[in-house]
Structure formats: C-alpha cells, structure tokens
Amino acid sequence: ATDPSAWGELDRRAAGLAGSGQCAACHPAQVDSWRASYHRTMTQPASGAAVLAPFAGETIDHLGFRATMTRGVGGVPHLRVEPLGEQGVPTGPALLDVDVSLTVGSHRYQQYVARIDRGGGPGEMWRLPVAWHLGERRWIPMNAAFLEPEGQHGAADDYLRHLSRWNDNCILCHNTQAVPGRMDRSEGTGPEGQAEMSPGTGAHWFASRVGELGIACEACHGPAAAHIERQQSPARRLLGGAGDRAIAHPGRLGPRAESDVCGPCHGNRIAADVAAVLRAGDKFLPGTELAAHSRPIFADSVIAGSDETPFAPRFWPDGTPRLSAYEYQGLLQSPCHIEGKPGGLGCNHCHDMHGERPSMQVRAGRDGAAACLGCHALEPSHGGHGPAVDCQGCHMPRITYGLLEGMISHRISSPDPAAWIGRHDQPDACTQCHVDRSRAWAAAQLPALGFLKGVGGPARPEAPEEAWGSRVVLDLYGGDPVQRVLAIHALTRPVVPVASQIRRAWLVDALEDEYPAVRWFAWRALRSITVDGDEGAEDAAITAALAAYDPHAEAAARLPAVDALRARLGPAPLTPEQRSALEMRQAEFMLWIGE
C-alpha cells in the first residue's frame, strides 16, 4: 500500500517537470529551507518518519464505534473500525479494515489515506475518519475536527461522514501538479491517453497522478525542465540564471501575480471548467493569471445554473471570511492590496517560503507591527494601546476558525464596534481582547483614543441582552459555532483583563456543547488557562476532572467531570433564564462545515 504506484506519478518529461531533486544542485539553501517547511510534508508515503502517530494499538471510541490503530506486515500502519456492543465490546462486521497508504499534514494534525475501491476502481483513495492531533498527541475523530453537530449514536453514515475521497479533493492542494484523473465509467484510458487499469463499478473511476507529493519547488515556480535545460548553456551559466522567463520567481512578480501563486490553495475557488480540472488537473501556472482558470469563492458566489449562495455560511455578514483557506479572499478585500499597482500588498510582503521559520513562514522583520510600519509611519503607541497591542490585534483580529484553532483574519480593516451594536452575528476586534466589555463600551472609547469612528454615539440601540454580560459571554452562550469557538479562543489569551478563575467559570458550560469541536476548544482552554500567581497552587480536583473529561465521549461519560468542574469553579456568569434564551439562539444558525 505504500508503493508510489498507489497514486501514480506523472510523466514529468511530458509535463515539463524536473522534480525538486534536480533543483538542489544549484539552489541548495532554498531546497534545505523548503525541506524544513510544512509545505514539504503536506503529503508523504505512509512509511518511516512520515507517520507521526504511534499506530501501536491505540483506540478511540466515538458515536458507538471503536477505531483501533495498529501496524501490519512490515510495519505498515493499519486502521480497523468496528461497531461497539452494549457492553462496549466490538462486534462485527468492521466498517473499515485497511492499510494506510499516504499521510497528509504535519503541522496541526496528521490525516491518513487508504486505497479503498468504493466503485472508483483500484486507484480510488479515501481520507480515513480519524486523525492524529500533534499538539495533544492523541487521536481525534474527524467528525470532531470540523464544525458540525454531534452525529447519531450507532449511525455508520454519521461516523463515516468525513471518509472523503482523496482523488478529487485533497490531492489538488496538497501536491504538486496534481491530476485527479477522473474518468467516466465507459472510458478506459488515462488523462494522457495511455492504457489504464480497468474501471470500477461506480459512475467514475480514478487514475490519479501527481508530479511530486507535497508542495514542492514547481508548485510555486512552475515546471522547471526548460529552465534547467537553459542553464546547461555555458553562456547562461556565465551570466547567471536571474531573469530566466522559463521559471517563475514569486519575489519578482507584482503583488497580484505573486499572491496568485498562493491563491489556488489558500483561497477556495470555483474552476471555470470543473470537469476538466477533475480529469486533467488545474492548468494554472505560477506567473500567469489565476482568474483565467478560476474565480475565488465569496459570500455571494453562486454555482452555475442556480441562484443560491451555498458558500455564504463561510463568511461573516460583512463578507469577511470566517474560515481558514480563504486568506487569498481576505487579501483581495483589504485596502492595502491595490489592484495592479506596484505599491500594493501581496502575500510575500509578510511571508517567506524560504525563511528561518517553518511555522507560519513569517518573513524576518515582519512580525506584528513591523509588517505595517514599513508603509504606515505610525508610532508604536498608535491608538493609546501602547506596545502590548500591535497592529494585527486591531486590524487583523482573530476572527477566523480553522484546524481546531482560532486564527487572525487576513482581511485588513479598521475596528468599528459601533456598527455592530444591537447585532449578535459577528465578533469585533475590540471585544475579542476586552472580553469583559460590551460593544457600546468599545464604541465609546474610540473618540478618546483619537479615532473618528464612534463619534456621535452608537449607530443603533443596544439589544436588551447586552446588559446580561460582555460581548464574548453573549457569543459564548448564544453565538453560532464559529462565534462560540472564537469566544473560547479569546478567553485563553494571556493579555485579557479578566482573572483566570473567572474565565474558567465562564467556560465550563461549553463542555456540554452540541458541537464536538466546541467541546474540544473549551477543554483545551480550561487546561491552558493557568491559575493567576496570587490565587495559589492549582486545585488538584480541577486537574483530575480535566484529565477525566473526554470531549469525544458519550454525554453520560462526560457529565461527571463537568459537574466536578462546576463545583470547583463556581457559578456560570448568567442566570438560568438568560442561558436558556441564548442557547435557543444557537439553533438559529446551524453550521455543517468541513472547511
């Protein structure tokens, strides 16, 4: 299952590819920095050091099924999923009993892919329903990694909801020059015309290929075979390779063109010809115009033949992306990105693919306010916040969710809490830090800080519930799932002006949330918020309750730990009537988002 033929390699010569191995001879430093990055390890064969999980007999129970991770012949990682009987004992038949072929990811969590013919032929591959969380060093069900309500106990379809086909999904963003190779059942030849394996029994079958696993050199620089051939010329070597039009250099492109290199994977989009992409791959090449091949998805995007806007839940009401993998859209919406002009902001302004920081790949000297001060001649005390708050805190607030984390927005904007008074459908920058305050309070502070916005008072009257608690508390109890996880994330930040004991008491009720991802956030938050120095040593009972709590377990197994935490941490910040009213609001905006 770990043989490369499981997914197939492109004919590199026909595709004009060289492979990263040939780049190292002339660019050793760049290749070394790439190898240290998470782009390099996006997709790898399931062998050796590529597998970050133990696969040593661990189990995880979820929705009435047990996943067991072991190793088979030759140490190949293996997954078996079985239904559980009334006594918690596995009963057959197994839902899955497969060897792992590929790993996907190495930063937040690692996912696993196996060859499973579900009608798509022997080349069909599927992402498995469990993943290894690197920070916690534990297994998680994929259902709990995405924002969706709890599935039904014992329902195989719910358990396998995120058994996603790799061939026409993951392959495109996690590899270089990917060709999904989807064929109609009646076809018997591959995307380049060569004879292929016999079709499966489904409507489509797959003969997927990649130029190289992971995001390699040619993903960002384009096919390099012609460039390498040119460099064989003695005259070319004497003059150096700079300016060779046979290869793309993102650092020498304009803001839009350089950002187009990142856009295919960091900006979910709709292809101009989806069927062609699924058959023969995306024909966009670095240095060309991305818009010629696809359009980025926005809140008002529609699918051909329909007036519906199915992507709207992935954006806040003002159009700002609320999920990761929409960073490109956030950039396009930012005033700093000036379309087609030399001074505009592009991805490379802040990020460096060959820098010294593999995590987030932030360019040296562009941390925090330093990313802005090159263009904006502002004092560090801008706005009266002082050095404790940098530009990102206000202008790129943490209102994005992805990969079980709260993240900064890539839409650069100026905070205006007055515009959101009386509304409860979007977080604002000010109260994500001032977690004990309302939007009306935040709006009143802006004129005193020297900002014009907010002058003249609120744009609309406050809603009655604004008097019940802070904006973050209202989001925590009555917001949609993204608001709830971001409220939890806000409460974990060490600079917030609320004592740790109080923040912990606010979080306990979220341990019973209907969404497993929200419970995961609350559990990690309670463990990460350390006791303030003047409050004494950690309570042993709290530590024991948090250790006993499992966000993925059945409700009956979770409740004893939740009750123990309530007893030690004190009452919730709201009355039972207020809590009930806010919890009813949660049902007004249900999300089912697989990112």
Side-chain angles (χ1 to χ4, degrees):
T2 59
D3 190 301
S5 63
W7 59 87
E9 288 188 354
L10 280 172
D11 180 344
R12 286 181 175 169
R13 181 179 295 276
L17 300 171
S20 58
Q22 293 197 49
C23 302
C26 296
H27 306 283
Q30 288 83 354
V31 169
D32 285 347
S33 61
W34 160 70
R35 284 177 175 154
S37 74
Y38 296 111
H39 283 88
R40 165 66 184 87
T41 53
M42 274 193 172
T43 307
Q44 295 190 81
S47 58
V51 180
L52 302 178
F55 281 94
E58 314 90 66
T59 62
I60 180 170
D61 295 350
H62 181 62
L63 293 183
F65 296 89
R66 174 168 294 167
T68 304
M69 285 62 69
T70 57
R71 290 184 183 267
V73 177
V76 174
H78 186 86
L79 170 70
R80 182 177 174 86
V81 176
E82 302 166 284
L84 293 174
E86 293 185 1
Q87 304 301 317
V89 177
T91 60
L95 290 185
L96 293 171
D97 196 5
V98 294
D99 286 341
V100 175
S101 297
L102 295 175
T103 70
V104 177
S106 62
H107 192 187
R108 309 287 189 185
Y109 49 74
Q110 188 171 68
Q111 302 173 67
Y112 301 96
V113 179
R115 278 195 292 180
I116 309 173
D117 185 352
R118 304 184 81 197
E124 190 175 30
M125 303 181 72
W126 293 80
R127 178 185 67 186
L128 298 175
V130 294
W132 178 254
H133 192 277
L134 298 170
E136 293 294 334
R137 295 198 58 76
R138 62 171 280 170
W139 289 96
I140 58 172
M142 290 304 299
N143 296 336
F146 300 125
L147 281 171
E148 59 188 37
E150 191 88 85
Q152 181 179 351
H153 181 90
D157 288 345
D158 282 357
Y159 184 86
L160 297 177
R161 187 181 298 151
H162 292 289
L163 181 73
S164 301
R165 189 161 49 205
W166 176 85
N167 305 76
D168 51 357
N169 187 358
C170 320
I171 188 175
L172 289 165
C173 281
H174 290 267
N175 301 287
T176 302
Q177 293 290 318
V179 175
R182 191 178 82 165
M183 306 293 166
D184 290 337
R185 183 178 176 183
S186 59
E187 295 183 75
T189 58
E192 285 111 20
Q194 71 272 27
E196 280 299 341
M197 60 190 78
S198 58
T201 59
H204 301 97
W205 63 285
F206 292 87
S208 301
R209 291 173 168 78
V210 299
E212 193 164 349
L213 290 173
I215 302 302
C217 306
E218 289 162 304
C220 299
H221 296 283
H227 169 71
I228 292 174
E229 184 176 352
R230 288 190 184 192
Q231 300 315 305
Q232 307 308 312
S233 161
R236 172 66 68 173
R237 288 200 299 270
L238 182 64
L239 294 173
D244 184 358
R245 294 180 180 273
I247 200 77
H249 191 314
R252 297 179 185 138
L253 300 175
R256 183 59 180 266
E258 65 154 73
S259 301
D260 279 357
V261 175
C262 308
C265 297
H266 293 276
N268 279 354
R269 56 207 174 98
I270 300 174
D273 188 338
V274 175
V277 170
L278 293 178
R279 177 184 177 90
D282 190 349
K283 297 306 180 183
F284 166 75
L285 293 176
T288 65
E289 187 179 2
L290 182 60
H293 303 273
S294 61
R295 55 188 170 94
I297 291 170
F298 289 101
D300 58 355
S301 295
V302 297
I303 297 176
S306 171
D307 294 329
E308 296 182 1
T309 54
F311 307 105
R314 302 182 179 206
F315 298 82
W316 296 112
D318 71 349
T320 300
R322 61 158 125 199
L323 298 177
S324 62
Y326 289 84
E327 293 84 1
Y328 180 71
Q329 282 90 328
L331 173 70
L332 298 185
Q333 293 173 323
S334 300
C336 298
H337 178 76
I338 307 170
E339 182 76 29
K341 295 185 179 179
L345 184 73
C347 300
N348 281 351
H349 177 85
C350 297
H351 296 283
D352 182 1
M353 300 302 99
H354 296 289
E356 298 178 354
R357 292 177 55 180
S359 180
M360 313 314 294
Q361 298 191 286
V362 177
R363 185 174 293 280
R366 296 288 168 82
D367 272 322
C372 305
L373 295 179
C375 298
H376 301 277
L378 303 174
E379 295 295 327
S381 60
H382 169 62
H385 282 88
V389 179
D390 63 23
C391 303
Q392 288 181 357
C394 296
H395 299 285
M396 300 176 71
R398 294 181 177 273
I399 58 171
T400 301
Y401 167 83
L403 301 173
L404 290 172
E405 296 288 346
M407 303 178 181
I408 65 170
S409 171
H410 276 66
R411 181 180 188 177
I412 300 169
S413 60
S414 294
D416 185 12
W420 297 97
I421 289 175
R423 299 179 60 167
H424 55 263
D425 51 6
Q426 179 167 342
D428 66 273
C430 301
T431 57
Q432 287 295 102
C433 286
H434 297 279
V435 296
D436 56 340
R437 299 291 189 171
S438 69
R439 285 199 179 116
W441 173 88
Q445 306 309 304
L446 289 183
L449 293 173
F451 298 109
L452 293 178
K453 287 187 177 181
V455 175
R460 57 181 64 83
E462 291 186 71
E465 64 266 24
E466 296 282 353
W468 297 354
S470 70
R471 181 69 254 164
V472 161
V473 168
L474 296 178
D475 283 353
L476 180 63
Y477 281 86
D480 66 45
V482 181
Q483 287 174 283
R484 300 202 295 275
V485 296
L486 292 176
I488 295 168
H489 181 73
L491 291 171
T492 65
R493 300 173 68 183
V495 298
V496 298
V498 177
S500 62
Q501 279 189 316
I502 296 174
R503 286 182 280 146
R504 280 179 153 189
W506 290 358
L507 288 167
V508 174
D509 285 342
L511 294 174
E512 294 188 72
D513 200 277
E514 181 183 2
Y515 283 62
V518 178
R519 299 199 300 263
W520 170 272
F521 258 79
W523 173 66
R524 291 189 77 197
L526 283 163
R527 292 165 59 235
S528 71
I529 298 174
T530 56
V531 174
D532 294 336
D534 60 352
E535 294 176 2
E538 175 65 285
D539 188 320
I542 294 175
T543 301
L546 289 173
Y549 178 83
D550 183 351
H552 308 136
E554 301 294 328
R558 299 193 309 264
L559 286 178
V562 176
D563 290 340
L565 287 167
R566 283 200 181 101
R568 303 299 295 186
L569 292 173
L574 302 169
T575 68
E577 294 76 18
Q578 291 169 344
R579 288 168 53 192
S580 177
L582 290 173
E583 287 168 357
M584 288 184 64
R585 180 185 292 165
Q586 293 181 11
E588 296 176 6
F589 197 77
M590 304 290 283
L591 283 179
W592 300 73
I593 294 181
E595 296 181 58

